[in-house]
Amino acid sequence: SQTIHQWPATLVQPVGSPLSLECTVEGTSNPNLYWYRQAAGRGLQLLFYSVGIGQISSEVPQNLSASRPQDRQFILSSKKLLLSDSGFYLCAWSNRGYEQYFGPGTRLTVT
Amino acid sequence: AQSVTQPDIHITVSEGASLELRCNYSYGATPYLFWYVQSPGQGLQLLLKYFSGDTLVQGIKGFEAEFKRSQSSFNLRKPSVHWSDAAEYFCAVGGLTDSWGKLQFGAGTQVVVTP
């Protein structure tokens, strides 16, 4: 069966510090991968999605970036965090456009 | 414009009572339809999905949803809620030709269950 992992589970970082969140998927090959953000009391905002290694599409202009160095690994990064980057970050995978399956999320607090 | 609407931001229901959450979409064709549930501090869990065929779909945890093409709706129902059903529920649409591989989520409905 497929599983999706995210780490860390929680993170507190000062403004201006770098960020790296990691997502890995097991039990499937060549999935679509997605990064979402949920701000407090808000819905889901799609940040990035990837249909293959090295292929990243950005949905929203921001100071975040994403990379997919391996088939089942998706990384969300920032060089300098802003207060507005605080939120709950969710990674998801899907098999070519159908339903998405979500990871447990990372709670990021920028102080 | 394409959209997914969940008209109810917040619903309070008594334990044992029935629950219905509304979802309406605005798209030219019938999209794929999904309901997800999110408990506090957790990721989203897929409750059920509709692609085609029987318009009444059964899901996990005793939930069902009915697709009504004439109303562009995909409402979620449960006959008798349990305290553990307190969570946020998201309707989503996908399979759209101009955004293949992506889901469009509604804003969510927060469900509170009272004793």
Side-chain angles (χ1 to χ4, degrees):
Chain A
S1 64
Q2 301 88 3
T3 55
I4 179 169
H5 305 279
Q6 287 186 246
W7 62 87
T10 60
L11 192 59
V12 179
Q13 293 282 92
V15 168
S17 64
L19 173 73
S20 181
L21 303 182
E22 188 166 344
C23 171
T24 59
V25 181
E26 297 176 357
T28 188
S29 296
N30 207 18
N32 281 5
L33 295 173
Y34 308 83
W35 278 113
Y36 290 86
R37 176 170 61 201
Q38 269 184 310
R42 306 282 296 275
L44 283 89
Q45 179 185 37
L46 179 63
L47 302 175
F48 301 95
Y49 74 97
S50 171
V51 298
I53 295 174
Q55 300 178 64
I56 310 293
S57 295
S58 174
E59 291 294 298
V60 182
Q62 58 210 314
N63 72 321
L64 298 172
S65 62
S67 62
R68 184 170 177 174
Q70 299 180 45
D71 181 45
R72 289 167 289 177
Q73 184 185 31
F74 205 22
I75 296 172
L76 184 69
S77 304
S78 173
K79 292 181 179 178
K80 290 186 177 182
L81 283 168
L82 306 173
L83 284 174
S84 58
D85 291 323
S86 292
F88 192 51
Y89 288 82
L90 290 159
C91 181
W93 70 273
S94 77
N95 279 327
R96 299 304 161 203
Y98 294 95
E99 66 268 28
Q100 292 179 18
Y101 296 94
F102 287 79
T106 295
R107 172 74 58 195
L108 173 65
T109 303
V110 182
T111 61
Chain B
Q2 299 175 334
S3 65
V4 182
T5 303
Q6 293 182 245
D8 304 304
I9 297 173
H10 187 274
I11 285 181
T12 299
V13 60
S14 299
E15 191 169 13
S18 63
L19 174 68
E20 181 167 14
L21 304 181
R22 296 181 290 164
C23 174
N24 295 94
Y25 63 91
S26 174
Y27 293 94
T30 299
Y32 300 150
L33 297 160
F34 310 90
W35 274 101
Y36 286 86
V37 61
Q38 184 180 32
S39 297
Q42 313 253 331
L44 276 71
Q45 182 181 23
L46 180 67
L47 283 175
L48 46 78
K49 59 190 177 186
Y50 174 78
F51 290 165
S52 65
D54 192 345
T55 57
L56 186 62
V57 180
Q58 302 298 318
I60 62 171
K61 304 187 178 190
F63 284 93
E64 66 178 25
E66 185 172 13
F67 168 62
K68 292 186 177 180
R69 186 188 305 275
S70 61
Q71 299 177 20
S72 296
S73 69
F74 189 56
N75 294 349
L76 182 71
R77 299 193 293 251
K78 185 168 184 177
S80 176
V81 299
H82 186 261
W83 63 266
S84 59
D85 294 322
E88 188 154 26
Y89 293 79
F90 293 94
C91 179
V93 302
L96 303 168
T97 54
D98 62 346
S99 59
W100 185 255
K102 294 190 278 187
L103 294 181
Q104 179 78 37
F105 284 88
T109 298
Q110 185 71 46
V111 173
V112 173
V113 180
T114 59

